[in-house]
Amino acid sequence: MSDVVICIRGSQLLIRALNKFSKLPKTIFGWDVQIVSTDEDQVFLALQEWYQSDTYNLYQSDPQGVYYSMVLENVRSTKQPEESVLIDILEVRGIKGVFLANQKMDGRVTTLITYNKGRDWEPLAPPAIDMNGKPITCKAPECHLHLHLRWADNPYVSGTVHTKDSAPGLIMGAGNLGSKLVEYKEEMYITSDCGKTWRQVFEEEHHILYLDHGGVIVAIKDTSIPLKILKFSIDEGRMWTVHNFTSTSVFVDGLLSEPGDETLVMTVFGHISYRSDWELVKVDFRQSFPRQCTESDYDSWQLTDLQGEKCIMGQERSFRKRKETAFCIKGKSYTSALTNKPCQCTERDFNCDYGFERSHMEGKRCFASFWHNPDSPPEDCHLGQTYESSTGYRKVISNMCEGGLNKQQSTKQHKCPLLPPQGLRVGIKGQMLAVAPGDDITFIVHQEQGDTSSTKYQVDLGDGVRAIYQNLTVTDEPIQHRYKNPGVYKVTVKAENMAGHDEASMYIQVTAPLQEVHLEVVPIAGRSQEVNLTAVILPSEANLTVFYWWIGDNMRPTLTLQNSLLTRFPETGEVSVTVQASNGRSMVQDTRTVRVYDNFQVIPLSFSRNLDQFNPNIPEWREDIGQVVTKILIKITGVPQESLVTVVKPGLPTTADLYALPPDNKPAKRSMLVDKVNQKYCSDCSNMKLLYCVITLGYHGAAGGLGVWALVVIFLISIIATGSFILYKFKRKLPGSRNVYAQMHNEKEQEMTSPVNHSEDTQHIIQGEEFIDDDLDSQTLGNAGGSPAFRSLIRTTTNHCY
């Protein structure tokens, strides 16, 4: 996967993440990454590793967003219907550095809290009494409080845990007491001292809305039945008042407050029935408070963690809160922060550095992971410079401690050695590995490790172009190139300095897009007989073409690198055959229908060699000639059109097969059909008096028996106007092939397109004893050929019959 760039407050943090993640632990091969937080120029991300299915590991970056260290394992995740993933971690708003997370271990889900950005995690302490004031038997360490950390599907209601920047320390959420989190048990709990102590307030889940900096907490039951009451508290959830906000029960769709943290006005919107419009009910709590708060209406509270530690994130912090007996409005000028006092640094203010992990024994010290060498030089270390090796600790970001212990101080100084290049890679901007001739290509070279200032890079682009670069990966100098000719080119980059060398290579395909493919297959085939499928592509010089062959209703194609395929058809009837040609730049296809019979007759046809000089050996020309011959034979013999098919074969000399099909799919009597053709030709011999030429006709059964050959008729085709007609016909049918045909016959084009005349020179093109009968029935030939051009093309029959 590629690098991930995250923009935070105008600056860029480059996260070299995912399966590259050269600055995450080397043992990690992540499947997925979710960004959790990007606050204070630090990235929290959850990485799903190869062995995890419904959990992620939580990592924390350094201030540059480059080096990452694990802070929590196996955070639970949930996949949503839209394939999005939700990670069970929540940043508590109002107090920096506080996070809640649900960890899944051995099938159990437990809720943990951290006050120092993941440096230490602890389970939530259970409350001492329930909502009715009765003692609770849940005692640590066997029993704790667990919260659901889900986002609400409805954007107009709160999630399962609600916090707010203007109400620091106030957290209200749905969960349960016990040894683990229970999915469908959602009692409501609240804390006003940022998670140190909790109280139960409801037995069912409620939607929560904070007004007046948390001075008023509004709760409406999360239910599918219509409601007319809400509950509110003005003493941080100790006492709740029931209020009828409407005289008619409504299905609640959402809760909204007016702009500003100090507002005391909210709106409940919903609908009376599923067919009714929205109902909007405004609730104003300003009438409940007679005055504005003064300084004497506030007390202070000091932030501590679950162990009672006052120095959190390197400072002691105290906040103001309204007294329980003060019924006044905090208002717009209210601020929660009271005092901040820095503390001396202790071991608790440092996290494990990149490449180190915390031991659960030995005082939770940080030690180097097995894959990490603390004394190894950094990647940007160049010869002549010095660097400090890590002691295994780094200060927690945004920690405000001063003086005291400095576990980040290094005692070792090292000189940067000359490192050999390692991890060399070459790629293409845009990731396109198949391009067209003449395209602009930008090659990118990246080196993971090694000295770059003293390294030379030899670049071979595969087409004879070579170059040498210095500091290639530092200056990001682009390598731009254009390939003129189609082909496959191997691009090689060699990096070398005095300490060693490395090499990287890639292959690039340069090919023009395919224009057309023509599927050649005999239209008639015998059942279970071998049939050759051939695909002719344009342009013919296209390279690295893959062919997909779809036969019948089979949804799984046969793939070949050759343009032909041998197959058999096991059943009679019509079979559709489709070929798709793809070369990485484009895909084209052609479809043909093959009629499969048990029995039919094949009569080979051979033409005068004079026709060969006008044969461009392309599919369209062969189809045209085959249709002309078929029409003439149908006209002369009177055989039904559906019973004759002429297929001109590829290559030279020009030959063809005449397929005689049984009528109505019944086996034909071969002697009757051939005799009919023979009699018709022989009866017309003396009348037509056409040019002299020999065509031999034979037939044999398609079922595989021995052919019984018979010389039926002698046939001659005049070539006087062949070039003119075929060039015209071919250009009209296949525009994409005009250049190919023109190149093949450039020297003959003037001759082929010249006006037809019956001069002696033209007549002597045909070798042998020859003459022309100008009394030929042009109307008959015109109807057979479908074009006046065929009146000069087909002046053919025989003066020899057998």
Side-chain angles (χ1 to χ4, degrees), residues 448-482:
E448 291 187 358
Q449 297 180 9
D451 192 286
T452 56
S453 60
S454 59
T455 301
K456 291 184 179 180
Y457 300 87
Q458 302 178 33
V459 179
D460 186 347
L461 298 179
D463 61 347
V465 177
R466 298 179 177 86
I468 297 178
Y469 295 84
Q470 190 83 18
N471 292 336
L472 180 62
T473 60
V474 176
T475 59
D476 290 331
E477 180 179 354
I479 304 174
Q480 294 183 337
H481 189 61
R482 292 180 181 178

Side-chain angles (χ1 to χ4, degrees), residues 515-524 531-538 547-552 558 560 562-567 569 575-581 588-595 618-623 647-648 650 733-734 737:
Q515 299 175 7
E516 189 169 351
V517 62
H518 185 92
L519 175 58
E520 286 196 347
V521 57
V522 291
I524 309 299
V531 177
N532 181 52
L533 310 177
T534 302
V536 181
I537 59 173
L538 292 176
F547 297 90
Y548 301 80
W549 307 89
W550 309 80
I551 300 176
T558 301
T560 65
Q562 295 79 27
N563 69 329
S564 61
L565 176 69
L566 292 177
T567 187
F569 303 114
V575 180
S576 175
V577 179
T578 298
V579 62
Q580 292 179 337
V588 291
Q589 80 169 35
D590 191 19
T591 301
R592 291 288 186 269
T593 299
V594 179
R595 289 182 284 174
I618 59 175
E620 287 72 18
W621 186 89
R622 293 191 288 271
E623 287 184 1
V647 179
V648 180
K733 289 192 65 175
L734 186 62
S737 305

Side-chain angles (χ1 to χ4, degrees), residues 521-526 529-532 594-597 599-605 626 629-630 633-634 637 639-650 655-663 668 673-674 677 697-703:
V521 57
V522 291
I524 309 299
Q529 297 297 309
E530 195 171 72
V531 177
N532 181 52
V594 179
R595 289 182 284 174
V596 183
Y597 293 89
N599 297 290
F600 58 90
Q601 300 170 11
V602 181
I603 305 173
L605 306 179
V629 173
T630 300
L633 293 176
I634 292 171
T637 64
V639 176
Q641 181 176 353
E642 62 272 9
S643 297
L644 293 180
V645 177
T646 304
V647 179
V648 180
K649 298 181 180 180
T655 60
D657 282 335
L658 176 62
Y659 289 83
L661 307 177
L673 179 61
V674 175
V677 175
L697 294 89
Y699 64 91
H700 62 278

